[in-house]
Amino acid sequence: MNTSSTLASSVQEREAQHVLQIYRRTPVVFERGEGVHLFTGEGRSYLDFISGVGVASLGHAHAGLADAIAAQAHTLLHTSNLFFHPLQADVATALAARTGLDRAFFCNSGAEAVEACLKFARRYWYTQGATSRTKYVAFTHSFHGRTMGALSVTWDDHYRAPFAPLVPNVVFADPADVAGFDALVDDTTAAIIVEPIQGEGGVRPIPPAMAAAIEAACARTGALLIADEVQSGSGRTGEFLYSRTLGLTPDLVALGKALGAGVPVGVAMFTNAVAAAAMPGDHGSTYGGNLLACRAALVFLEALDSPALKASMAAASDRLFTGLRAMQRRLPVIRDVRGAGLMVGIDLTFDAAPVVAAAFERGLLINRTSTTVIRLLPPYIITTADVDAALPLLEDAIVAGGNA
Ligand code: PLP
């Protein structure tokens, strides 16, 4: 056994003693990162096209982020929401400008951001005395997180069943069935919740006809719209919110993942109309929006404003989609290539698990979602050269995975 696998198995054995066994981890121990690469202690290098599930947006060991975090740590990290500090207003202002929504609630994860959206959608109607207006309309194949509220609007029974009963009054519409959806939205609906691109559900953009139907249903019934942009938002698709690309005008938006560039940051954004219902004490978070989280978000938002980064993201995305479509013509096992920007799904005719393993063996990190779909969520800093390096590895892995 070489040193690398010895280390991996010793870490695995120690974790097996006391870490809750809920993850199927690949047996590798990463010790260091640099840009789009991760390294094991023995120096084996991997090209990272999943970025910690869409989180390490500025890549690994980003010097500007590291310096800002270190400086913040030497100054002040946390004071709680009992007091003011200078950075929350800065992040809230920057997010308001980029999302078009007025007010931010800070938390620590995507699930918490969704949770806040679900709560304040009901709070809005409660304040108006419409106490029976509590229904949530969600979509089949949705994923919104693991807390009880977020789980209640998550579709897959595999995640839900062991934890029932969940929050009542949730119904699911098929994103391809406009008439079925219309029948579910009525004047008891508090909110419709949608991922503009379903991430865990297989990187499926909401069809334009459904986006139009959502807007029409909100106009018809007054139902609020929650856009869960935890995965698709924060600039990953080229626009700050993919909702805008679809022509959706959400009242509440959940953000997370890429926004903290590796520091846990969740944010729920609200229109003033929704936010007006919130009263002191309604909701809160000990850590939410502390100085560490806000500093990281500010570094990320500033980086995202760079025209050079925007241009290189667009070029990398073009190269990736062009390359994948050419690969699809060569490999009939690729059923579909979909997504936007740097959120990409490659749907295969077979279970993608062996492809992920084969890519790993070749030094490329990707992941599988919705059984047959390979998901790519690379860091925003990838270049066309990184794409050129990844595509042949991916093609080899798909061929090898198909023969496995
Ligand atoms: N919403 C969406 C669309 C997600 O993709 C995820 C995570 O994958 C979540 C919510 C939950 O985020 P977190 O794992 O940070 O709680």
Side-chain angles (χ1 to χ4, degrees):
M1 193 182 277
N2 66 26
T3 335
S4 167
S5 51
T6 309
L7 178 61
S9 52
S10 114
V11 168
Q12 229 171 314
E13 275 163 27
R14 283 188 294 124
E15 281 207 3
Q17 302 301 309
H18 294 296
V19 176
L20 193 68
Q21 296 295 294
I22 49 171
Y23 299 113
R24 284 187 206 91
R25 300 194 208 276
T26 303
V28 65
V29 180
F30 290 121
E31 294 203 341
R32 193 170 69 77
E34 193 179 317
V36 299
H37 291 95
L38 285 174
F39 300 91
T40 64
E42 296 68 39
R44 184 152 189 222
S45 145
Y46 292 81
L47 189 50
D48 185 3
F49 266 54
I50 192 64
S51 67
V53 200
V55 168
S57 45
L58 300 182
H60 303 288
H62 182 275
L65 179 63
D67 289 349
I69 288 175
Q72 195 60 57
H74 281 288
T75 308
L76 190 61
L77 281 179
H78 179 85
T79 56
S80 87
N81 284 303
L82 293 176
F83 310 106
F84 291 97
H85 69 66
L87 304 182
Q88 266 195 27
D90 290 348
V91 181
T93 304
L95 288 175
R98 284 161 184 78
T99 61
L101 282 87
D102 307 291
R103 283 178 195 277
F105 165 75
F106 290 91
C107 49
N108 315 288
S109 66
E112 283 176 75
V114 168
E115 207 70 33
C117 290
L118 294 171
K119 285 182 73 174
F120 284 100
R122 281 195 177 165
R123 178 54 155 127
Y124 172 86
W125 294 111
Y126 178 88
T127 305
Q128 299 188 21
T131 49
S132 59
R133 197 155 181 170
T134 59
K135 180 162 67 172
Y136 299 114
V137 178
F139 285 94
T140 58
H141 302 286
S142 64
F143 182 90
H144 297 290
R146 313 282 194 153
T147 54
M148 283 301 217
L151 190 58
S152 304
V153 289
T154 289
W155 180 70
D156 194 333
D157 212 39
H158 174 72
Y159 299 132
R160 301 165 55 90
F163 305 104
L166 300 177
V167 173
N169 220 356
V170 177
V171 294
F172 291 92
D174 176 346
D177 178 7
V178 167
F181 164 78
D182 274 340
L184 292 176
V185 185
D186 56 27
D187 61 9
T188 68
T189 305
I192 298 160
I193 178 163
V194 64
E195 290 161 88
I197 303 179
Q198 294 186 322
E200 305 298 311
V203 192
R204 293 170 210 271
I206 289 299
M210 181 53 79
I214 290 171
E215 284 292 293
C218 289
R220 172 170 57 83
T221 64
L224 297 172
L225 177 59
I226 303 171
D228 180 350
E229 298 254 17
V230 168
Q231 200 166 137
S232 58
S234 302
R236 177 162 288 284
T237 66
E239 288 247 32
F240 195 81
L241 298 180
Y242 195 71
S243 298
R244 299 291 176 229
T245 309
L246 288 178
L248 293 172
T249 50
D251 305 282
L252 309 94
V253 172
L255 295 169
K257 289 193 183 283
L259 185 58
V263 173
V265 179
V267 178
M269 296 296 301
F270 310 119
T271 58
N272 271 333
V274 173
M279 292 297 141
D282 269 0
H283 197 52
S285 164
T286 297
Y287 294 111
N290 77 8
L291 290 107
L292 170 67
C294 288
R295 176 58 68 200
L298 286 171
V299 171
F300 166 76
L301 290 167
E302 196 182 318
L304 192 61
D305 278 347
S306 145
L309 181 69
K310 284 200 178 94
S312 79
M313 282 178 78
S317 170
D318 277 358
R319 187 81 133 239
L320 192 50
F321 276 100
T322 306
L324 289 172
R325 297 216 160 98
M327 197 187 295
Q328 186 182 14
R329 289 191 287 277
R330 289 189 296 275
L331 302 182
V333 293
I334 299 179
R335 267 197 298 225
D336 195 14
V337 174
R338 56 186 180 240
L342 297 177
M343 179 168 182
V344 182
I346 304 151
D347 195 0
L348 303 177
T349 54
F350 54 87
D351 186 332
V355 177
V356 175
F360 177 74
E361 280 164 22
R362 286 159 179 76
L364 176 68
L365 303 178
I366 56 178
N367 110 309
R368 176 190 77 151
T369 178
S370 197
T371 311
T372 60
V373 180
I374 296 165
R375 178 173 47 173
L376 309 179
L377 295 169
Y380 294 9
I381 56 160
I382 61 159
T383 61
T384 52
D386 297 323
V387 172
D388 291 346
L391 284 172
L393 301 176
L394 181 60
E395 182 156 357
D396 267 9
I398 292 174
V399 172
N403 294 330

